[in-house]
Amino acid sequence: MRNTVRALRLARGWSQGDLAERLGVSRQSVNAVENGRYIPSLPLALKIGRLFAVPVEAIFEREVGEG
Amino acid sequence: MAEAESEESVGLDWRAYGARIAVGLVWLAAGAVAAMIMAEPKPWSAVTAAAGLVVCAPAVAWLHGSLRRMRRADEFDRNLIAMAVSSGAAWALVFGPMLIGLNSLLRVASIGRADVPKLGLVLLCTQPAMGMLFGETMAQLARRSYARKAGA
């Protein structure tokens, strides 16, 4: 699963810590999501979408060959 | 704003992990001592009861502590804590019964050697601590893996 969370965050000039605080999660969580290692739950994904005012499906995208 | 934090610098909570491992090692050593006390053929006493508590009580404390940590954690950390507990429990479930069998085999093989059954009991009594050490280490490895870029 690819995502544009890092690009969206950097466009706003936020650090991972800033984003984590706004989302109410740890910086580790933000880091893992940005790295594509951790797929957030639907509530967290919706929260990310709402925060950046971008639809969730525009942030998270399945990679080619993903089941 | 400059990117102040790199993936490498993401908090892996090594200090907390180190503290838990240190506690686990103390529990491991205490479990071994408790096993030696329990292996002595003597009637029940407060000392043997205390030895039993040394083996069992920290397991309850660890599980209780993990549940409390889960309540405070976000969804990502909750997964890791659940992984620590489930890996540790799986270890104890798999190796505990195996060690009971191994202890029986040691008893069969140790005719005339009183120290061998003690070794089996030591292995058995240290299983809860081994489970905790294994579980916490698995969760820490996962935490480290999550901090890397996908495909790296």
Side-chain angles (χ1 to χ4, degrees), chain A residues 6 9-10 13-18 24-29 31-32 34-41 43-44, chain B residues 1-7 9-13 74-77 79-80 143 145-152:
Chain A
R6 187 188 299 270
R9 171 175 65 78
L10 291 176
W14 296 342
S15 67
Q16 286 184 343
D18 295 333
V25 297
S26 66
R27 192 167 71 83
Q28 262 181 1
S29 307
N31 187 71
E34 285 189 356
N35 285 342
R37 287 278 182 184
Y38 176 65
I39 300 171
S41 67
L44 181 56
Chain B
M1 187 191 291
E3 177 71 331
E5 300 130 336
S6 68
E7 285 82 9
S9 73
V10 72
L12 292 175
D13 230 354
D74 64 1
E75 62 176 55
F76 172 74
D77 239 1
N79 287 343
L80 293 173
R143 183 173 280 122
S145 162
Y146 276 126
R148 290 181 184 158
K149 265 190 180 306

Side-chain angles (χ1 to χ4, degrees), chain B residues 76-126:
Chain B
F76 172 74
D77 239 1
R78 261 200 299 273
N79 287 343
L80 293 173
I81 296 167
M83 173 188 271
V85 171
S86 57
S87 307
W91 172 288
L93 276 174
V94 171
F95 290 101
M98 271 177 64
L99 286 172
I100 293 173
L102 180 66
N103 197 30
S104 301
L105 290 174
L106 285 171
R107 276 177 193 278
V108 171
S110 72
I111 299 160
R113 288 184 61 199
D115 56 328
V116 180
K118 272 187 189 172
L119 173 68
L121 193 61
V122 167
L123 289 172
L124 197 59
C125 286
T126 50

